[in-house]
């Protein structure tokens, strides 16, 4: 029997990782519960950088524009260092992202606002909210049921307890409250802050316990993860930590000309990272010390004023006066990684629970959200009976690789940042300006999040040799370009057709179908896809729309008006239930729209696809390219899906 407190997925922790997962699962209508020990979401401070790839994912859920409008945008990174006379000089400017990396900016906005967007989305999608001031106290996994993925099998039981105010509210750091100027909160966050108080009854049920039966448990509960500990796992690596002073302040007066640009400043006194923030705030990151394993840093000497005093010394002779310290912290972190992110295909960890590193590359929040963006659709596929549980193995494989790369790069970045400046060609351990600049440049693509590259596995076919589309490597995110809809001449970014709704996409780059041979190839592909044993009908429930599991999008290379929509086989623009209207939004051309004649996405050229012969790309629900093959290799599509998809009766 299903009890009301049973769920399919229980998430512990409602930081960026937990909220991204609950947003995904809400969108896919999965029965989800999410608990967090804190009484409110983050309100100010914490992480702030949102890389281009994360913005693309927000777009696929429909709320990227909120971030783009509210956030500061990082376009250029400037380095400052001492010249041979010992004077601080601007030593280089590089674009924050290589031109063409993404159509979205690298934006900077408080973690609390990112959490707001996710909280709003999960509420909108499936009325899901976070159960706050609640933490797990015990868990058990029934080994007899672990391999039983039938609908009524709940192998995991977790007992959670409602916390008291003392247990739930994080302690403030030092005498000056670290953050929370209520007057700075936007109206939608103000109500959240108010809800987490005694007056609002947030702690009325303190001490109450509840046992939740669940099919999957996901620990998104940060660096000190309770779930990780109960999986018998730990973070391994450099227990020594870098200690960072982080401060968000309004700069009331400065002679430093680049205060609204992202800057690294290296002087004899130390290094500082400056990040322009929303609402005229500026974030200062200064490494103020480091700890050896087992050692604790004495935070009592650090205040917002002391952080600014250090900043002033580093930036001298430029002046710097700050007012309105919105948030500050002493952030102590080592480069540490958990050896696996899953157990028994039933319990998973994500985000800071699996990897910790310095804030310098602005990756913590992004990598954490991308962990659960990778996991969410896979859990849903298994829960909805679309795929076998084996595909869950790929979560840890894929995300461990990303986390390992992040930790390795962060290690190098830390060395660059804390090393003393060295004369060009000089001896010693320092880092020369040229090395510093070259390293930062090499980071740009990686830091945008678009360089994530999963290795071949059951969801990522090996790269076809020779590559048919060098711009579409398997294991990387689908790079979006503009196309135009055949039927209504509307320009579309292909990325906007790859919404996060749990569907796979087969993208047919049909080539130039004015050529009879090419048209015949497209018809053969369509005929294959339309057969009862083809991947569309095999995996789509009989009463559902034909595009409900796998959607086919066709992009031709010949001009839009050189072909009529009804020249295409029916499976490529299937009829929709209940009225039988045709799905005109499946057919596109690599062409401009009559209203923007000079704007053409040139998708074939940009992805390196031959405009005569085209190719086929299979794209996962998280927009990762799974398979690329030639049109006449279309049977590979069926072989690919047969590895993990479950045929529908
Ligand atoms: P978290 O954001 O840590 O979220 C974990 C959630 O789990 C929290 O809401 C917590 O209340 C909850 N939780 C924990 N334990 C339990 C439990 N037992 N039961 C129930 N709930 C639990 N990154 C930067 O890039 N720049 C910064 O300046 C920066 N500053 C930071 C300052 C602080 C004080 C902290 C803690 C982190 C900072 N980070 C910063 C890191 C960044 O915030 C994280 O990388 C990112 O938030 C990771 O997201 P997450 O969801 O994995 O974990």
């Amino acid at each position: 029997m299903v009890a009301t407190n049973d769920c399919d997925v229980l998430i512990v922790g409602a930081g960026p990782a937990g909220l991204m997962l609950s947003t995904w699962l809400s969108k896919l209508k999965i029965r989800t519960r999410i608990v967090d020990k804190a009484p409110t979401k983050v309100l100010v401070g914490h992480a702030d950088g949102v890389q281009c790839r994360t913005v693309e994912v927000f777009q696929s859920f429909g709320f990227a524009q909120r971030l783009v409008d509210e956030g500061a945008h990082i376009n250029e990174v400037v380095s400052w260092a001492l010249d041979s006379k010992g004077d601080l000089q601007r030593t280089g400017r590089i674009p924050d992202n290589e031109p063409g990396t993404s159509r979205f900016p690298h934006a900077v906005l408080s973690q609390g606002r990112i959490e707001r967007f996710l909280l709003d989305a999960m509420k909108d999608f499936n009325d899901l909210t976070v159960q706050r001031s609640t933490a797990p106290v015990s868990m058990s996994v029934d080994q007899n049921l672990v391999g039983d993925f039938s609908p009524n099998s709940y192998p995991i039981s977790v007992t959670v307890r409602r916390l008291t105010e003392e247990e739930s509210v994080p302690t403030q750091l030092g005498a000056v409250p670290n953050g929370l100027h209520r007057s700075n909160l936007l109206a939608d966050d103000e109500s959240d802050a108010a809800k987490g108080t005694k007056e609002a009854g947030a702690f009325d049920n303190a001490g109450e316990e509840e046992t939740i039966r669940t099919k999957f448990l996901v620990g998104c509960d940060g660096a000190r993860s309770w779930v990780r500990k109960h999986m018998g796992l730990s973070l391994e690596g450099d227990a020594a930590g870098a200690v960072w002073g982080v401060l968000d302040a309004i700069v009331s007066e400065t002679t430093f000309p680049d205060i609204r640009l992202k800057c690294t400043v290296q002087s004899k006194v130390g290094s500082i990272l400056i990040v322009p923030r929303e609402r005229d705030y500026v974030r200062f990151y200064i490494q103020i010390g480091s700890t050896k394993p087992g050692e604790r840093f004495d935070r009592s000497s650090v205040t917002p004023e002391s952080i600014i005093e250090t900043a002033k010394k580093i930036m001298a002779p430029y002046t710097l006066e700050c007012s309105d310290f919105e948030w500050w912290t002493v952030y102590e972190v080592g480069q540490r990684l958990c050896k696996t992110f899953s157990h028994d295909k039933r319990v998973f960890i994500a985000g800071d629970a699996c990897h910790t590193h310095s804030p310098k590359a602005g990756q913590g929040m992004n990598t954490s959200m991308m962990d659960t963006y990778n996991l969410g659709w896979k859990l849903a596929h298994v829960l909805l009976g679309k795929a076998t549980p084996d595909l869950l193995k790929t979560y840890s494989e894929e995300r461990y690789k990303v986390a390992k790369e992040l930790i390795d790069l962060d290690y190098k970045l830390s060395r660059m940042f804390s090393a003393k400046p060295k004369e060009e060609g000089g001896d010693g351990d320092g880092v020369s300006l040229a090395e510093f600049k070259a390293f930062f440049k090499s980071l740009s693509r990686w830091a945008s999040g678009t360089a994530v590259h999963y290795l071949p596995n059951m969801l990522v076919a090996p790269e076809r040799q020779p590559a048919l589309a060098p711009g579409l490597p398997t294991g990387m995110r689908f790079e979006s370009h503009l196309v135009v809809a055949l039927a209504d001449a509307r320009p579309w970014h292909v990325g906007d057709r790859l919404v996060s709704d749990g569907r796979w996409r087969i993208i047919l780059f049909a080539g130039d179908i004015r050529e009879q041979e090419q048209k015949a190839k497209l018809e053969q592909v369509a005929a294959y896809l339309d057969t009862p044993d083809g991947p569309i009908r095999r995996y789509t429930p009989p009463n559902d729309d034909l595009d409900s599991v796998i959607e086919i999008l066709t992009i031709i290379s010949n001009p839009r008006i050189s072909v009529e929509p009804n020249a295409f086989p029916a499976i490529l623009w299937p009829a929709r239930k209940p009225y039988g209207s045709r799905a005109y939004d499946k057919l596109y051309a690599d062409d401009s729209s009559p209203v923007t004649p000079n704007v053409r996405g040139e998708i074939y050229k940009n992805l390196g696809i031959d405009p005569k012969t085209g190719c086929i790309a299979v794209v996962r629900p998280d927009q990762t390219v799974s398979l690329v093959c030639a049109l006449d290799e279309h049977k590979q599509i069926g072989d690919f899906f047969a590895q993990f998809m479950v045929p529908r009766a």
Side-chain angles (χ1 to χ4, degrees), residues 11-20 35-42 45-49 111 115 131-137 160 163 168 170 173 178 219-227 244-248 277 283-285 299 327-333 350-369 371-372:
I11 304 167
V12 179
L19 293 177
M20 172 57 81
V35 299
D36 195 290
K37 68 177 185 185
T40 63
K41 69 180 196 65
V42 161
H46 291 238
D48 58 357
Q111 178 173 326
E115 293 185 5
Q131 185 174 325
R132 298 212 171 263
S133 301
T134 303
V137 289
V160 298
L163 304 179
S168 184
L173 180 64
N178 49 325
C220 301
D221 45 351
R224 298 202 172 96
S225 171
W226 182 96
V227 175
W244 288 81
V246 189
L247 173 70
D248 292 334
R277 293 286 302 259
R283 171 162 288 194
F284 297 93
Y285 281 110
R299 298 164 171 225
W327 179 82
W328 71 283
T329 193
V330 177
Y331 181 45
E332 208 178 326
V333 66
D352 276 14
C354 325
H355 40 72
T356 65
H357 47 84
S358 86
K360 281 180 300 287
Q363 299 293 309
M365 177 165 62
N366 292 284
T367 311
S368 300
M369 287 190 282
D371 283 348
T372 50

Side-chain angles (χ1 to χ4, degrees), residues 532-546:
D533 281 342
I536 303 293
R537 294 188 186 275
R538 189 169 161 82
Y539 303 117
T540 307
N543 294 325
D544 291 2
D545 273 327
L546 274 180

